Amino acid sequence: MNRRTRLTLFTPLVAGTLALAPAAFAGGSAAVAAPLATCSISGVLDNGKVHLSGGGFQPGVSSFLSSPTAAGGQFRMGDDGGFVMLNVENAKYTVSQGNDRTECSGFMGS
């Protein structure tokens, strides 16, 4: 195949790909990314307890705090998408909203 034939065959292919690329990217940009939820555990306090705090969750939604070794329970997320829980057991915790689960970081063990 000579150079002129290759150029003639590949030019429409490359042009078509370039024309479709912006349309493919535009479809993804229409969706608004959900805020990244975070949860953290404070250092262990003198009383052996910790404080939990988090943000970036869906505001005002019923949420659930769970732990494999400590008491958890249902609570309402704050209107700003954040929460604070003072003096809870020193343990690993997970905050759930529907099917979304956020592990709390900072657990150092007992």
Side-chain angles (χ1 to χ4, degrees), residues 33-47:
L36 181 61
T38 59
C39 174
S40 60
I41 301 170
S42 72
V44 180
L45 304 171
D46 291 339
N47 63 3

Side-chain angles (χ1 to χ4, degrees), residues 16-104:
T17 302
L18 292 175
L20 291 177
F25 291 123
S29 65
V32 176
L36 181 61
T38 59
C39 174
S40 60
I41 301 170
S42 72
V44 180
L45 304 171
D46 291 339
N47 63 3
K49 305 282 185 169
V50 297
H51 297 330
L52 297 178
S53 60
F57 291 91
Q58 294 178 8
V61 172
S62 179
S63 305
F64 192 80
L65 180 68
S66 60
S67 171
T69 59
Q74 191 167 350
F75 68 100
R76 184 180 174 277
M77 191 59 65
D79 291 335
D80 61 355
F83 73 95
V84 174
M85 292 185 181
L86 305 175
N87 294 312
V88 297
E89 298 286 328
N90 179 22
K92 282 186 166 186
Y93 288 96
T94 301
V95 176
S96 302
Q97 286 187 318
N99 291 329
D100 295 329
R101 295 185 185 0
T102 301
E103 263 190 55
C104 298

